[in-house]
Amino acid sequence: MAIKQLSIFVENKTGSLVKCTEILAEAGVDLRAMSIADTRDFGILRIIVNNTYAAVTALKDNGFVVNMTDVVGCVMTDKPGAAGELFAALSEAGIGIKYMYAFAGKKEAYAILRVDDNTLCEKVLLEKGVKLLTPDRL
């Protein structure tokens, strides 16, 4: 089941993230996962939130450029080699990973994947016994 991820273009200067996160907080939006990548002139803040509609509305109303993308979330055992097993399964199926970010919980690790084919990725992961993250689980 696809998870909605927001990509927000932010200026590459001090305070840009503060403004963005304050807007989300004022809209009652809770961050579930976050990643940021930078280029010379701007950053791309990728977030998964509890209320996508409220986040998009609040950010756009405040001048931010926001794109929504479907991503795949999965649960991995928090042990050495688990990520490599995941990558191998996707590679064997011919699925390319465009980017990912991961985070660890108390007993499990979680990965958010942007891939070439979400449907095939989910099928391969389920066949390998990997649990998928659902929006409500985040």
Side-chain angles (χ1 to χ4, degrees), residues 49-68:
V49 297
N50 68 325
N51 187 333
T52 305
Y53 177 79
V56 170
T57 301
L59 290 166
K60 285 187 174 184
D61 286 351
N62 284 276
F64 283 90
V65 175
V66 182
N67 291 323
M68 192 172 352

Side-chain angles (χ1 to χ4, degrees), residues 69-81:
T69 308
D70 286 340
V71 292
V72 176
C74 65
V75 181
M76 300 181 293
T77 305
D78 189 9
K79 66 173 187 172

